[in-house]
Amino acid sequence: MATHLRNLFLLCPVIAAAWPGFVAYKERTCSDPLDIWSDGDLIDNSTLLIDRSITDVDSHAGGRYYENMTFPAAKATGDMDTDAGTQFVYWKVEDPDPTCQFIMMKDTPRGWQMLNEMPGAEILRVAQAGCYYTSLNPNDNLITSYCCGRDDCAIAEVEIQSNSPKDTSGEIAPSCTIKRSYSATPTIQDGKQIAITRPQTCEAPPACTHSITQSSMVSTALAHFQSYSWTTEEGVDVHFESGVDFLLASKMTTGISFSIAQSWMDETGTTLTETNITAAQEAGRQEAGSVAFYSFIPQYDCWTGDVSCGNDQDGNEKVLEGISFCQPRLATTGDPAGVFRMVYTSG
């Protein structure tokens, strides 16, 4: 589909209707159209275009943004306290190309530049035509995107947790120290969205609930967006790859990521943190006639600075710039702080 979309753009740059899109409706059969507005402007054909790839980060930040969305004629949910102020909005979607998926996300107030490749919080992901439910609030910012192929779509597979550090330096690593900290006060960042229940079909009107039956882990993270490679004065080759390492205290005891994390722990007076999202914390509401899973978006306290990891073989100091160290935020209960969200899918 990626090639198909690019070709379509070249051939029909002014025909917006040629793009696939999420078309808004008032009810689950997608037969009664719903007018939708973005920043006070009526959206043509009630359609949010899907014309930017989740991997198109440099030019389009991974999706098309629709700000301050309103749905004046949408039915209010209001069935439970947690639904207060939200509205039913259904979306008709045509079949994506084979191997492709369409994705709808909510923007997040803190942004996703640090701990996640997604530009927003996923609320809908579909691989086949249908009429899909979302629960939205007035003035939500929405992001549409698509992915094609296993590697690209893996970014959107929030059901899969990847907590293994990416060190390739073996057990020998230089000792690192904080050379410069940009701020003594941490910033709050949203972490990687985590699926905390399996997808389930809801066949019990008016709604079903999701209870967390197995704990999911939230752990210390080290974020870095530039790869580094050098040979130390001792002749040890060190490699530090771009991305985010989620560090586990039970597994992370050696390597360059641990050395950098240790320098930050010394600086911040913290230790590697592991905390679980448990069954006692939440139960989520799923609309009848849908397939969905329940997710959690943890919040982190993050410090950013430059880290010195000794000298290279030529005697030059090796400084890694803009490395972020992030600890899970904890609620007063000791549980991880964050946001629970239902994610609807095509099954």
Side-chain angles (χ1 to χ4, degrees):
M1 185 176 105
T3 301
H4 168 72
L5 288 174
R6 283 194 293 269
N7 290 342
L8 201 56
F9 178 75
L10 294 173
L11 293 172
C12 310
V14 297
I15 305 178
W19 292 104
F22 292 101
V23 187
Y25 288 85
K26 297 177 183 177
E27 35 58 60
R28 71 181 61 196
T29 63
C30 282
S31 58
D32 189 2
L34 173 68
D35 284 344
I36 54 177
W37 302 72
S38 175
D39 259 349
D41 294 325
L42 183 65
I43 298 292
D44 292 340
N45 303 312
S46 299
T47 301
L48 303 185
L49 299 180
I50 310 171
D51 58 357
R52 295 172 181 174
S53 167
I54 197 72
T55 59
D56 190 9
V57 176
D58 293 336
S59 58
H60 292 114
R64 175 179 285 272
Y65 284 67
Y66 291 89
E67 297 183 332
N68 297 319
M69 296 291 300
T70 53
F71 324 92
K75 177 184 175 182
T77 56
D79 294 330
M80 299 174 64
D81 290 342
T82 55
D83 294 325
T86 62
Q87 296 173 282
F88 289 102
V89 181
Y90 292 84
W91 304 95
K92 185 175 182 180
V93 184
E94 301 301 327
D95 268 322
D97 285 356
T99 80
C100 298
Q101 299 180 64
F102 295 144
I103 306 163
M104 180 181 290
M105 294 162 279
K106 282 188 180 183
D107 195 10
T108 66
R110 281 170 294 277
W112 291 68
Q113 299 88 348
M114 187 168 292
L115 299 176
N116 203 331
E117 296 175 276
M118 297 282 281
E122 184 175 308
I123 58 173
L124 178 59
R125 187 181 73 234
V126 298
Q128 62 190 46
C131 183
Y132 297 96
Y133 167 81
T134 57
S135 176
L136 297 171
N137 295 301
N139 307 117
D140 273 340
N141 299 330
L142 297 182
I143 307 167
T144 62
S145 190
Y146 71 88
C147 66
C148 293
R150 178 178 298 179
D151 290 342
D152 287 353
C153 288
I155 299 172
E157 295 289 338
V158 301
E159 298 95 312
I160 301 172
Q161 294 188 59
S162 178
N163 288 320
S164 299
K166 295 183 294 185
D167 283 335
T168 58
S169 57
E171 295 186 357
I172 301 174
S175 177
C176 300
T177 58
I178 303 300
K179 186 175 181 65
R180 174 191 177 195
S181 181
Y182 298 154
S183 174
T185 303
T187 59
I188 301 174
Q189 294 287 335
D190 289 320
K192 180 177 174 60
Q193 192 170 5
I194 303 169
I196 52 177
T197 66
R198 297 180 183 277
Q200 72 177 33
T201 301
C202 179
E203 298 177 348
C208 304
T209 58
H210 281 238
S211 295
I212 306 170
T213 56
Q214 59 183 14
S215 63
S216 298
M217 182 175 291
V218 179
S219 57
T220 295
L222 192 69
H224 43 99
F225 293 97
Q226 179 179 346
S227 294
Y228 294 90
S229 180
W230 74 98
T231 302
T232 68
E233 288 183 308
E234 293 77 20
V236 177
D237 290 331
V238 180
H239 305 280
F240 191 49
E241 298 178 2
S242 62
V244 178
D245 290 337
F246 290 92
L247 310 180
L248 303 180
S250 58
K251 297 179 181 178
M252 191 66 179
T253 57
T254 60
I256 184 64
S257 287
F258 178 76
S259 178
I260 296 171
Q262 185 62 62
S263 68
W264 273 113
M265 288 185 284
D266 293 341
E267 177 81 5
T268 58
T270 61
T271 60
L272 286 185
T273 300
E274 294 177 5
T275 182
N276 289 321
I277 309 159
T278 61
Q281 287 183 272
E282 193 81 4
R285 176 187 184 279
Q286 177 185 352
E287 180 66 9
S290 65
V291 179
F293 61 87
Y294 205 37
S295 71
F296 180 71
I297 304 166
Q299 294 175 354
Y300 281 81
D301 285 327
C302 295
W303 296 263
T304 302
D306 300 338
V307 181
S308 174
C309 292
N311 297 330
D312 63 18
Q313 60 187 344
D314 297 321
N316 299 313
E317 184 182 19
K318 192 63 181 180
V319 178
L320 285 58
E321 299 180 342
I323 304 295
S324 295
F325 175 74
C326 303
Q327 293 281 31
R329 288 178 62 85
L330 300 179
T332 55
T333 59
D335 296 314
V339 178
F340 291 92
R341 196 176 301 284
M342 195 67 68
V343 181
Y344 290 88
T345 73
S346 53

